[in-house]
Amino acid sequence: MAEANIQNKNNLFQLSPEGKEFVQGELSRYENKYSAIIPCLYRCQKENQGWVSPACIRYLSQIMEIPEAHIWEVAKFYTMFNKEPVGRLHIQVCCNISCALNGGRELADHLCQTYSLNAGEVSSDGMLTISRVECLGSCGTAPMMQINESYHENLNPEKAEQIINELRAKYGS
Amino acid sequence: MPKCKINGKEVDVPQGTTIIEAFKASGQEIAHYCWHPGLSVAGVCRLCMVQIEGQPKLQIACNTEVKEGMVINNNSETVKDTVRWGLDFHLINHPLDCPICDQAGECGLQEQYMQFGKYDPEMAEHKVKKCKVVDLGPTVVLDSERCILCSRCVRFTDEVSKTHELGIFERGDRSEIGTFDGKPLNNKYSLNTVDICPVGALTSKDFRFRQRVWYLKEHNTICTGCSTGCNVKVYYNEEGCWRVKPRYNPDINGYWMCDEGRDIYKFINKKNRLQEITMTEKGVSKVFQAEELLPQLGLELKNAVQKNPESVALILTGQYSCEEYQSLLNLMVKSWGLKNVFHWVNHPESMEQFDGLLLRGDKNPNTKGLLNELDLLSLTQTWKDLEEKLHRNLIKHLIVAGPENLATFSDVKEKLKLFSSANKLIWLSAGIFEGVSSVCSQVVQIPTKTFFEKEGSYINHKGMKQRVTPGVEIVKSALSLCEFVEGLHHDNKGAHFQDMDSALVDTKLKEPLKENFFTATRGSL
Ligand code: SF4
Ligand code: SF4
Ligand code: FES
Ligand code: FES
């Protein structure tokens, strides 16, 4: 999986027919087509195993008629776009103030240790990536993490591990 | 026409003028980095702060329009203090490595610092380290640490060259100029980014580390690289010429010039030049002084024309000034009666090309001027006629006012082969081309002055006549075509025709350089 993703770096990328339609929709939605860059990048990330590859940028540049450099500017500005391949489960542990006060940083360290990964790394089976991120807007339920598109709140190390293990079993099969 | 007051001075400006433009128009100084008159307004450097009476907060002059009755100043303590702090923020992560920076001496940061420096900075943080040598492409190198993120270079590639290579990536103090996925900054106008970069972040591969700018002098002239005739400055010192930069001319090139044109300083320099007048016969070359050879050559040519006009031909390239064509044609056509005059076109296939911005396919500064002169004398023979005459061995003497900028003549070899059927070739050129001396049984080579060493006018593609003046002498024995003509029809040997326009030669170089020459003349960053 991870290897497939890395190969993807040089490969051509194309959105699905629905994806293309989505991009066209976004393009006609805003006064300035530059406003459509973020939703379109999200779409590519979703259809490209969780990360935005240079091939995605080239592809978007073509269909959106926006210079590559300017789409890349947006992708680089926002940390929620992954510029490197990630595992099938992308675990983002919040380490910002509220979570940090409630053990978010320790949680991130604990998970990295448990799964023998450095932050940002893809596990050898291609399943996991653990990232430390800034506030995800769920401060009242700190500490918390986001796995792919869902939030998991009021965590402690055991609970977090359990969630990850369950998901891993589910996605792994 | 709104009227406003700037630092107490009444200023009248057209509707829609921004405050910074009004400052410029009224000749007053205002600090700025990101604003450039040839680009859109970005308003990111926050250095152009002004105080407007009746408005509680300071405004940026580059993005505020002048309104009737505005009373504006940038000399109050509030403004000065704001600019001082603005500058200090720009310097938080700036490496201040001026001693090894190519921009030193013509740097916006240095200039503003002289006026607005805090001198006693209060920043205690460590500077963010970034890459100091980013190879952006074939012409430009980036030092990310020095960049103040004014975005001028990005706007240039978006708005002027329209090649969109550059962007600002990452955010906050990690922001950096760069290109997408290692794609090079590679366009025909890329070096303009180096000119407009207010600091030493973008430097030219060709010029960097070769000279300190305060040891250079500049000479205003025009680019002879193509028929556009961009207005330029050539920077030189005792050792020769080092770089070319554009000069603003709204009717011709605006603020820009192409990368190709920046190379014209190379062919002017001594090492690429023909040095002596020589005559080669049977493989033996002899060096002559102009006054020894030319009067005798003039007599020989005149007799040949008068005996048989068909036996002599004159070939002209579009590389010379109007005055030079005139004096040559006056002598040979009007007074001797020469009929065979031909126009050597170096790029017939691309003559009419234009890239939409500046660069033209006609790689000559004065094709128009030449055609005018030929027209006036009804000289209409074509290149085909010449070829035929040469093939039929009709032509014995061939005078060629050849290329000055050899790099733009890819057909010299082929042409020389054609010329070889003549008996005697008189080859005038500024540059060295291997093998010229053995083309005909007798070859006279005469070094010519380049546009940088003579006075004259050139007519560009749209008929605008522009005058150039001499910078410095580079090749002592080089002649302009006017001087060549003067020599040919001079009866008294030893006349000083070679000094004909030497009175115009700029000898200021020997004087000490005045104050800080560059900062004094760099009003527009
Ligand atoms: S490289 Fe120069 S021109 Fe470009 S943003 Fe930085 S300081 Fe401005
Ligand atoms: S466009 Fe032509 S005249 Fe202008 S700088 Fe380039 S070569 Fe010179
Ligand atoms: S600080 Fe963690 S969600 Fe806001
Ligand atoms: S010149 Fe006005 S903000 Fe930079």
Side-chain angles (χ1 to χ4, degrees):
Chain A
M1 187 77 194
E3 266 163 41
N5 266 349
I6 288 159
Q7 273 174 12
N8 197 332
K9 222 171 179 163
N10 306 315
N11 281 353
L12 289 177
F13 169 82
Q14 269 224 340
L15 281 174
S16 62
E18 303 78 53
K20 280 184 203 166
E21 220 168 277
F22 174 81
V23 169
Q24 292 313 326
E26 292 302 301
L27 280 173
S28 56
R29 178 169 170 163
Y30 302 101
E31 232 170 86
N32 179 339
K33 66 178 172 184
Y34 279 69
S35 308
I37 294 178
I38 292 182
C40 296
L41 278 171
Y42 263 130
R43 183 75 193 206
C44 286
Q45 175 154 299
K46 203 166 160 188
E47 292 198 18
N48 190 51
Q49 291 106 33
W51 71 294
V52 178
S53 66
C56 297
I57 305 289
R58 275 190 283 272
Y59 173 76
L60 277 186
S61 164
Q62 257 173 30
I63 61 170
M64 299 178 78
E65 293 175 2
I66 294 176
E68 291 159 346
H70 296 326
I71 302 183
W72 192 231
E73 278 181 323
V74 178
K76 290 285 262 188
F77 189 91
Y78 293 106
T79 47
M80 69 256 191
F81 296 120
N82 301 313
K83 272 75 69 177
E84 295 292 331
V86 291
R88 284 181 83 178
L89 297 178
H90 184 203
I91 302 150
Q92 307 183 56
V93 186
C94 175
C95 294
N96 209 296
I97 182 81
S98 178
C99 293
L101 288 173
N102 287 290
R105 290 191 285 209
E106 290 76 11
L107 176 66
D109 289 344
H110 174 85
L111 292 178
C112 283
Q113 234 170 34
T114 313
Y115 298 100
S116 318
L117 283 175
N118 293 319
E121 212 173 52
V122 185
S123 61
S124 53
D125 62 356
M127 273 314 284
L128 300 181
T129 298
I130 301 168
S131 318
R132 301 164 69 115
V133 298
E134 304 305 334
C135 181
L136 291 168
S138 190
C139 319
T141 54
M144 59 81 66
M145 66 181 176
Q146 179 182 347
I147 301 183
N148 295 353
E149 285 176 1
S150 42
Y151 276 15
H152 304 272
E153 294 153 315
N154 297 317
L155 297 173
N156 56 42
E158 296 69 37
K159 197 169 158 194
E161 259 180 62
Q162 193 195 339
I163 296 170
I164 294 170
N165 290 340
E166 275 168 20
L167 282 171
R168 186 151 72 155
K170 190 169 133 201
Y171 275 74
S173 56
Chain B
M1 296 277 277
K3 265 197 203 46
C4 64
K5 232 184 199 170
I6 295 181
N7 294 335
K9 193 170 159 189
E10 291 270 0
V11 186
D12 229 352
V13 290
Q15 191 76 43
T17 306
T18 56
I19 295 180
I20 203 165
E21 288 166 341
F23 265 83
K24 295 272 161 190
S26 68
Q28 306 204 50
E29 294 291 324
I30 179 160
H32 65 277
Y33 288 136
C34 67
W35 179 78
H36 186 282
L39 301 171
S40 64
V41 172
V44 293
C45 76
R46 317 309 284 182
L47 225 64
C48 62
M49 291 291 188
V50 290
Q51 197 166 26
I52 304 170
E53 234 167 61
Q55 297 193 14
K57 286 198 174 163
L58 301 187
Q59 303 292 333
I60 51 171
C62 63
N63 205 22
T64 312
E65 266 183 34
V66 173
K67 292 275 166 343
E68 181 60 43
M70 267 187 179
V71 180
I72 307 158
N73 80 72
N74 74 337
N75 54 14
S76 68
E77 275 316 305
T78 329
V79 175
K80 282 189 191 156
D81 196 49
T82 309
V83 177
R84 213 171 282 137
W85 274 104
L87 188 59
D88 217 41
F89 278 114
H90 277 298
L91 291 173
I92 295 180
N93 288 311
H94 189 86
L96 289 175
D97 53 355
C98 312
I100 55 155
C101 178
D102 234 35
Q103 191 87 354
E106 49 177 3
C107 171
L109 277 179
Q110 287 182 332
E111 277 170 32
Q112 303 299 354
Y113 199 78
M114 299 308 286
Q115 208 181 343
F116 297 107
K118 278 176 57 65
Y119 290 91
D120 208 2
E122 285 161 62
M123 297 297 172
E125 286 77 11
H126 286 294
K127 291 182 188 272
V128 176
K129 298 278 180 270
K130 290 179 189 166
C131 187
K132 288 192 76 67
V133 193
V134 184
D135 187 355
L136 279 185
T139 53
V140 180
V141 181
L142 163 72
D143 180 324
S144 277
E145 288 187 345
R146 292 186 191 145
C147 170
I148 56 160
L149 298 166
C150 70
S151 82
R152 278 183 178 187
C153 55
V154 179
R155 280 174 283 146
F156 178 85
T157 51
D158 278 344
E159 297 163 14
V160 183
S161 71
K162 300 203 167 65
T163 44
H164 313 286
E165 293 104 328
L166 297 177
I168 298 178
F169 304 119
E170 300 287 348
R171 65 185 187 208
D173 60 9
R174 284 168 298 134
S175 303
E176 270 184 67
I177 292 293
T179 60
F180 166 68
D181 202 25
K183 201 171 151 185
L185 166 68
N186 189 2
N187 64 66
K188 287 184 285 182
Y189 297 90
S190 63
L191 283 165
N192 290 295
T193 59
V194 175
D195 296 340
I196 58 177
C197 179
V199 296
L202 298 178
T203 48
S204 145
K205 277 192 186 167
D206 186 46
F207 181 72
R208 71 199 304 249
F209 307 142
R210 292 179 71 205
Q211 287 295 323
R212 274 311 200 180
V213 293
W214 54 86
Y215 292 131
L216 295 179
K217 283 206 64 178
E218 54 185 287
H219 176 65
N220 288 351
T221 182
I222 64 166
C223 172
T224 55
C226 80
S227 61
T228 298
C230 295
N231 290 200
V232 300
K233 299 180 264 204
V234 176
Y235 293 74
Y236 64 95
N237 63 9
E238 295 83 343
E239 290 164 53
C241 300
W242 297 95
R243 69 172 178 186
V244 181
K245 276 179 182 269
R247 215 158 29 93
Y248 178 61
N249 184 332
D251 300 318
I252 295 178
N253 55 311
Y255 296 93
W256 323 115
M257 74 181 291
C258 78
D259 289 358
E260 227 173 77
R262 306 212 183 223
D263 279 341
I264 56 165
Y265 78 87
K266 292 180 184 158
F267 77 78
I268 316 176
N269 276 339
K270 200 160 182 171
K271 69 173 201 300
N272 299 320
R273 298 284 297 278
L274 209 52
Q275 304 290 337
E276 304 282 1
I277 300 179
T278 57
M279 174 137 92
T280 312
E281 220 177 342
K282 301 195 186 88
V284 186
S285 297
K286 240 186 102 183
V287 174
F288 284 90
Q289 293 306 309
E291 44 284 330
E292 295 175 83
L293 185 76
L294 294 190
Q296 166 200 330
L297 182 66
L299 209 63
E300 179 186 339
L301 290 171
K302 182 174 163 186
N303 290 339
V305 177
Q306 285 169 355
K307 221 165 108 199
N308 175 11
E310 276 299 310
S311 73
V312 181
L314 170 66
I315 296 174
L316 298 169
T317 53
Q319 302 255 298
Y320 297 86
S321 70
C322 298
E323 293 76 2
E324 292 180 287
Y325 295 135
Q326 278 159 13
S327 72
L328 202 53
L329 294 170
N330 269 344
L331 175 70
M332 295 189 179
V333 177
K334 282 202 192 149
S335 95
W336 295 351
L338 181 74
K339 300 265 173 316
N340 285 333
V341 181
F342 304 93
H343 178 193
W344 171 359
V345 180
N346 42 343
H347 287 277
E349 65 302 330
S350 64
M351 271 305 258
E352 299 303 320
Q353 276 172 18
F354 175 48
D355 74 347
L357 191 50
L358 294 172
L359 199 55
R360 289 179 187 271
D362 177 6
K363 301 284 172 215
N364 295 286
N366 202 16
T367 298
K368 213 149 196 155
L370 171 58
L371 294 178
N372 276 355
E373 299 304 330
L374 295 179
D375 242 24
L376 281 175
L377 298 171
S378 315
L379 296 161
T380 54
Q381 293 198 61
T382 64
W383 195 257
K384 269 230 143 48
D385 300 331
L386 171 72
E387 284 176 344
E388 199 194 304
K389 287 180 184 182
L390 280 167
H391 287 143
R392 287 169 52 207
N393 281 335
L394 294 179
I395 291 166
K396 306 290 174 229
H397 286 89
L398 199 54
I399 307 142
V400 183
E404 176 172 307
N405 181 358
L406 273 165
T408 56
F409 281 67
S410 52
D411 56 347
V412 181
K413 216 175 177 158
E414 170 200 319
K415 292 292 189 303
L416 286 175
K417 218 161 141 195
L418 175 71
F419 300 160
S420 65
S421 75
N423 294 349
K424 183 164 185 164
L425 172 70
I426 294 131
W427 174 260
L428 295 126
S429 175
I432 304 164
F433 194 84
E434 284 300 319
V436 174
S437 60
S438 55
V439 168
C440 300
S441 56
Q442 251 194 5
V443 175
V444 177
Q445 290 198 69
I446 298 173
T448 51
K449 286 184 173 168
T450 64
F451 70 99
F452 194 67
E453 298 146 278
K454 64 193 175 195
E455 171 141 28
S457 35
Y458 296 83
I459 301 179
N460 80 349
H461 73 101
K462 59 173 172 182
M464 289 181 69
K465 196 169 189 168
Q466 307 195 81
R467 239 183 134 60
V468 298
T469 54
V472 274
E473 180 186 277
I474 293 171
V475 173
K476 201 163 182 303
S477 55
L479 303 176
S480 70
L481 294 190
C482 299
E483 291 161 345
F484 170 65
V485 166
E486 194 73 8
L488 287 183
H489 74 156
H490 233 285
D491 300 332
N492 2 336
K493 282 189 171 190
H496 293 296
F497 56 85
Q498 206 181 340
D499 293 334
M500 206 176 75
D501 59 19
S502 68
L504 298 159
V505 172
D506 182 358
T507 47
K508 278 185 223 129
L509 195 61
K510 286 167 209 124
E511 287 174 10
L513 291 172
K514 284 192 209 90
E515 43 164 334
N516 188 341
F517 186 71
F518 276 90
T519 46
T521 54
R522 281 185 77 255
S524 54
L525 273 178

